[in-house]
Amino acid sequence: MAPTVLVTGASTGIGRACAERLADRGWRVLAGARSDAALAALDAIAGMEAIRLDVTKPEQVEAAAAATGPHLDALVNNAGVAVTGPVEVLALEEWRSQLEINLLGQVAVTRAVLSAVLAARGRIVNVSSIGGRVALPLFGPYAASKFALEAMTDSLRRELRGQGVAVVAVEPGAVATPIWGKGVEGGDAVTARMDTAQQQRYGRLVAAVRRAAERSGREGVAPTRVADAVEAALTASRPRTRYVVGREARVQATLGRLLPDRVMDGLVARALR
């Protein structure tokens, strides 16, 4: 019998690459997406069953859990968005929305299917980010959500120690996915409402980060590279607790661990110039 995996945020980018990879490897893939177009496209792929899943809607989370049945071999928590802008400018509601999707949505899905994963002695893979280790300017909400997801992953892994369930974080750097374009669009909306003083404080930084985001959308690692790590996390006899994806992410992780904060601040500023 084919193993079953639930992949959230499977409509595009990393989630789509993971869902396609696992379906190709013979898994029964429950692919979560929100739009009708994405659901139809996923349903057309052999080995895939599309389910409507907005991780912020309890009724859809409950329905997804019901669809998995009493045994679930793996959960890939991938759904997420990127809210960007200066801490001073972003409204609290924008912070709440970021955390609701990138953190609390993952917690909700995990809780809903945990008994099924335990029954199968399965795996939980949380798609985090190098932004969960190194917080870049203007990425405060996104980084906060990923730092928190890392903490949740560590806690859950330690809580389930000895229960036969592996809990893994996958930490990509820049990946060529639509999230960067959406982030730029959202950042433009934030910039448009800055007052004159804020424009003076953050204008150059916003322009530099925008260029970096656009470059990431073009030149970041392919989503299939992240799918490689997710597949390894799901199939290795003894998976790592973390998989860092991409040279840029590995460099950031190393520098963030070894360098004093002030030195790291200077390197980030220089890179954005």
Side-chain angles (χ1 to χ4, degrees):
M1 184 175 178
T4 299
V5 58
L6 171 62
V7 181
T8 70
S11 58
T12 60
I14 292 170
R16 179 68 172 267
C18 291
E20 291 180 345
R21 170 70 59 80
L22 294 171
D24 186 59
R25 295 289 194 264
W27 288 67
R28 173 189 174 224
V29 178
L30 301 176
R34 294 182 299 172
S35 73
D36 291 338
L39 291 166
L42 291 166
D43 252 339
I45 299 172
M48 211 173 293
E49 301 172 32
I51 56 175
R52 190 176 299 277
L53 179 55
D54 181 330
V55 298
T56 68
K57 296 187 181 303
E59 68 278 7
Q60 293 186 17
V61 171
E62 290 173 11
T68 67
H71 290 77
L72 179 63
D73 298 282
L75 166 65
V76 178
N77 278 315
N78 169 74
V81 298
V83 174
T84 60
V87 172
E88 177 186 358
V89 177
L90 288 168
L92 286 179
E93 188 53 43
E94 291 170 298
W95 287 80
R96 291 190 180 100
S97 176
Q98 176 75 96
L99 294 170
E100 186 71 32
I101 297 168
N102 286 21
L103 173 65
L104 299 181
Q106 319 312 313
V107 172
V109 175
T110 300
R111 292 186 59 206
V113 303
L114 187 54
S115 62
V117 176
L118 283 164
R121 298 177 70 85
R123 305 273 169 100
I124 296 172
V125 176
N126 291 331
V127 179
S128 180
S129 167
I130 193 59
R133 296 204 203 187
V134 178
L136 298 180
L138 306 188
F139 281 84
Y142 178 77
S145 72
K146 294 300 186 179
F147 268 74
L149 184 62
E150 293 276 340
M152 186 274 273
T153 303
D154 285 346
S155 290
L156 184 64
R157 186 182 68 250
R158 290 162 184 160
E159 290 165 4
L160 298 181
R161 189 168 185 264
Q163 302 297 315
V165 173
V167 181
V168 178
V170 172
E171 303 169 336
V175 181
T177 72
I179 195 172
W180 296 107
K182 294 173 184 175
V184 167
E185 292 171 4
D188 287 346
V190 171
T191 301
R193 65 174 188 259
M194 289 184 191
D195 61 31
T196 301
Q198 291 167 342
Q199 290 278 3
Q200 291 175 343
R201 271 195 289 279
Y202 307 115
R204 287 186 180 181
L205 182 59
V206 168
V209 170
R210 181 192 176 98
R211 288 193 298 270
E214 290 174 340
R215 185 169 62 250
S216 295
R218 296 191 308 269
E219 303 173 6
V221 300
T224 53
R225 289 277 302 281
V226 186
D228 291 341
V230 170
E231 182 181 14
L234 294 180
T235 59
S237 59
R238 186 177 171 83
R240 303 177 210 162
T241 58
R242 286 177 170 78
Y243 290 79
V244 180
V245 182
R247 180 180 179 277
E248 173 197 354
R250 291 193 295 273
V251 169
Q252 286 189 47
T254 300
L255 294 178
R257 185 175 67 252
L258 297 178
L259 294 181
D261 289 344
R262 301 291 186 193
V263 175
M264 191 66 180
D265 292 349
L267 288 178
V268 170
R270 187 179 307 168
L272 289 174
R273 283 201 297 270

